[in-house]
Every structure is written in C-alpha cells, then in structure tokens.
Amino acid sequence: MEEEAIEQEPNAEEISEEAEQTEELSTEESHQAEVTELNNRLLRVQADYDNFRRRSREEKESAAKYRSQTVIEALLPVIDNFERALLVKPETEEAKALLQGMEMVYRQFQEALKSEGVEVIETVGQTFDPHLHQAVMQVEEEGFESNQIVEELQKGYKLKDRVVRPSMVKVNA
C-alpha cells in the first residue's frame, strides 16, 4: 500500500513541469492581452487619421468655395454707392451720357459678382427670416401680413449659401 501512495504523490519534476506550463500560459495570455491592446490602439489611430483627412478635405473645399468672400465684403460699399449714384436724375445730356456709362459699368460689375456666386437676398413682401434679414424698424402698415417685410433699407447679399451681409429691413408688426 505504501507503494501505491508513493506513486500517487507528484514528484518534484512533475511540479516544476506544471509550474513551467502555468508560466507559459500566463506569459502567452499577457502577450495576447498586449497584442489586443496594441491592435485597439492601432484602430483608434487609424480612425483619428481618417477623421483628420476628412476634416482637412472639408476645410479645403470650404476655403475654395468661399475664397472670394473678403473681396466681396470689401466691394459691397462700392455697390451701394453705385446704386445711390444711379438714383440721381440727370438734367443735361452730358449727365445722361455719364449716367448711361455708369449703368453699363454697374451691370458688368453685377455680372462679375454673379459669376462668383453672389446673390441679392430677396426682401420686400417676403416673410422676415433672422438668418437673412436684420430688422431695424417695426411698423404697422395696411396690406402687409404680420412679420412680413415692408421696405428694404439696405440690400443683403449671399455668397453661394452663406450670408455675407444681411438685408436691413422694416418689418410689419
């Protein structure tokens, strides 16, 4: 019976083999965990890079789309002055000829702006939109609905889909 009991007890070699196998398993598990962590970090870096590329592309497209905005903003007072000058009633033939030449230059100027994507914002008779219009007065007039634009005090302009300058308007109460 003693021999049977001795055979059932593990000897020192078997214990060390089991310890080595346990160590190998824990080392393998730690390597696997490290690989998983590195793989996750790689995926996050790839996603960040893709987002960066997308944002960069969108910024470039936006910059190209609105590249002329600063020039257009600088030219809006010139347009306003042209329009004021065209309202003058000429009394002499020379003044009429000068006014006719100014009208030609004004139309050419308008066409150049239109080719860049500049549009005049519609106002009179339209419903007030705070994204397009700036209300500077509120009046009560017959023939206009509530919140409808009665008069345009200064033209507003859009560059493609962006408001460059809102229209200054009178709105019916």
Side-chain angles (χ1 to χ4, degrees):
M1 279 211 172
E2 280 183 32
E3 289 179 15
E4 286 180 20
I6 293 175
E7 287 180 25
Q8 289 178 355
E9 287 182 17
N11 63 18
E13 284 180 24
E14 289 177 354
I15 292 174
S16 78
E17 281 181 26
E18 283 181 23
E20 284 178 25
Q21 286 177 350
T22 305
E23 252 181 62
E24 286 177 14
L25 284 177
S26 66
T27 305
E28 188 176 317
E29 288 173 357
S30 69
H31 287 313
Q32 186 62 36
E34 187 178 341
V35 166
T36 303
E37 179 187 338
L38 290 173
N39 196 19
N40 288 338
R41 284 177 43 195
L42 174 66
L43 290 174
R44 281 194 297 275
V45 168
Q46 282 178 329
D48 288 344
Y49 182 67
D50 289 343
N51 289 337
F52 171 74
R53 281 193 350 217
R54 180 185 46 78
R55 278 193 311 272
S56 295
R57 186 187 72 244
E58 288 172 356
E59 287 173 4
K60 284 179 187 176
E61 288 171 358
S62 177
K65 187 175 183 180
Y66 302 113
R67 73 185 182 288
S68 59
Q69 182 171 347
T70 55
V71 173
I72 290 168
E73 288 172 346
L75 292 175
L76 291 181
V78 176
I79 295 171
D80 295 338
N81 288 333
F82 249 116
E83 290 171 351
R84 282 187 209 101
L86 293 174
L87 292 176
V88 172
K89 301 291 180 205
E91 295 179 10
T92 65
E93 288 301 316
E94 289 177 353
K96 286 180 184 179
L98 182 63
L99 185 64
Q100 192 176 25
M102 285 181 60
E103 285 174 348
M104 290 170 54
V105 171
Y106 176 73
R107 280 194 303 273
Q108 188 177 19
F109 194 40
Q110 291 285 47
E111 287 301 315
L113 290 174
K114 191 175 187 176
S115 71
E116 279 296 313
V118 176
E119 302 172 26
V120 175
I121 296 173
E122 296 295 322
T123 55
V124 177
Q126 302 290 318
T127 303
F128 177 75
D129 180 355
H131 300 291
L132 301 174
H133 310 115
Q134 179 181 1
V136 292
M137 298 175 89
Q138 192 170 16
V139 295
E140 290 191 27
E141 296 220 5
E142 295 290 322
F144 289 96
E145 295 177 17
S146 178
N147 210 26
Q148 191 174 19
I149 297 173
V150 174
E151 183 181 346
E152 177 181 67
L153 303 173
Q154 183 181 41
K155 281 187 179 180
Y157 295 90
K158 290 186 342 182
L159 174 60
K160 297 181 171 111
D161 57 352
R162 182 184 287 179
V163 175
V164 177
R165 180 175 80 183
S167 299
M168 293 170 98
V169 296
K170 283 185 189 178
V171 180
N172 199 31

